[in-house]
Amino acid sequence: MSKNLPEPTNSEEVDLGQLFKLIGNAFERFFRFIANIFIGIYNVILILLIHFYKRKVWYATAIIIGGAFGFIIDKKSDKLYGANMFIETNFNSARQVYENINQFHQLANKDADSLELSRRLGVTVGEAAKLKGFYIEPDIDDNVIAEMYSAFYSMLDSVSRVEMTFDRYKKSLTNYNFNIHRIGVASTDKTVYKKIEKAFVDEISANAYLKSWLKLIC
């Protein structure tokens, strides 16, 4: 027995035609949108190129003047030199040493008080004016920290030993817990370090806590 397939109606053909037309219009609008973006970018680049081309002499002159000005400033600006020394603090004196260094940094870097620096370091005012900063930081060594932890751990009771892990102990340390520290001095005169070395060491060693401790044991 033969089967007769239904013929598509005119309404279905019209619906499909409209659907394809809508899809085609959507793609056309999309590609037109993309094209407009590229055209806009091209126009902006073209305008910029025309702008730079018309003013190329002005820009070239500005670059040359700016480069020359920067070169002159760099030549005239003072070079900064640095020197370091290592100290070992005793009798819990690290906190006071840090305070003394901070005072010197305040005088040199923030207050620019060359008169006071000159008086305390035994150099001329001009030489003191070339001092730009004083810095200090602990010389951290993991082996030293391990030794410190071992000594600290041995003094703990059984409960505290469980709680005080190495990482926790390491995080609890401050700059004052270390004995070795690096002191840095910044200056525009590399010859001034030798001139201030003795007076500077005497100044940072002027520890009120240490003096009172020495009086107690004498």
Side-chain angles (χ1 to χ4, degrees):
M1 180 181 292
S2 62
K3 294 182 179 179
N4 295 325
L5 297 175
E7 295 290 334
T9 62
N10 291 335
S11 61
E12 291 177 346
E13 292 177 354
V14 172
D15 290 341
L16 289 175
Q18 290 178 346
L19 177 62
F20 285 123
K21 185 177 181 180
L22 289 174
I23 294 174
N25 291 338
F27 275 106
E28 183 180 357
R29 287 194 297 270
F30 174 74
F31 287 118
R32 189 182 298 117
F33 172 74
I34 298 298
N36 288 335
I37 291 177
F38 282 104
I39 292 172
I41 294 173
Y42 171 78
N43 289 335
V44 171
I45 294 174
L46 185 61
I47 291 171
L48 289 175
L49 290 175
I50 294 173
H51 170 79
F52 285 116
Y53 179 77
K54 288 182 177 180
R55 295 167 176 80
K56 59 183 178 181
V57 176
W58 188 90
Y59 281 111
T61 304
I63 292 173
I64 293 172
I65 293 175
F69 187 69
F71 178 78
I72 293 172
I73 291 178
D74 183 66
K75 281 294 183 181
K76 289 188 175 182
S77 60
D78 295 325
K79 292 183 178 180
L80 200 62
Y81 300 94
N84 298 316
M85 69 171 65
F86 288 87
I87 64 167
E88 182 176 4
T89 57
N90 297 305
F91 309 111
N92 297 322
S93 60
R95 187 182 298 274
Q96 184 61 47
V97 172
Y98 272 75
E99 182 62 29
N100 292 343
I101 296 297
N102 289 335
Q103 289 177 5
F104 274 106
H105 184 72
Q106 177 78 27
L107 291 172
N109 186 266
K110 299 179 180 179
D111 298 340
D113 191 346
S114 54
L115 289 174
E116 180 64 15
L117 284 172
S118 171
R119 184 187 68 81
R120 296 179 65 174
L121 296 177
V123 293
T124 66
V125 175
E127 290 171 332
K130 295 179 180 180
L131 294 168
K132 301 303 179 182
F134 294 81
Y135 311 91
I136 184 171
E137 63 181 6
D139 183 37
I140 299 176
D141 187 330
D142 286 338
N143 293 328
V144 173
I145 296 177
E147 292 176 2
M148 293 167 59
Y149 174 70
S150 178
F152 178 76
Y153 187 82
S154 64
M155 296 185 296
L156 299 177
D157 56 41
S158 57
V159 176
S160 300
R161 288 182 178 183
V162 175
E163 297 177 351
M164 183 55 69
T165 63
F166 177 77
D167 289 336
R168 186 174 181 181
Y169 173 78
K170 187 175 181 180
K171 290 179 181 179
S172 69
L173 294 175
T174 67
N175 292 345
Y176 312 129
N177 293 118
F178 297 92
N179 291 331
I180 307 298
H181 305 269
R182 183 173 67 90
I183 296 176
V185 182
S187 173
T188 56
D189 180 6
K190 61 182 178 181
T191 66
V192 76
Y193 302 113
K194 287 294 182 181
K195 299 177 182 179
I196 69 170
E197 184 175 1
K198 184 179 184 305
F200 179 62
V201 172
D202 290 341
E203 283 287 331
I204 64 175
S205 301
N207 191 324
Y209 174 84
L210 176 58
K211 289 179 180 178
S212 62
W213 190 87
L214 289 174
K215 288 179 181 179
L216 289 175
I217 64 175
C218 291

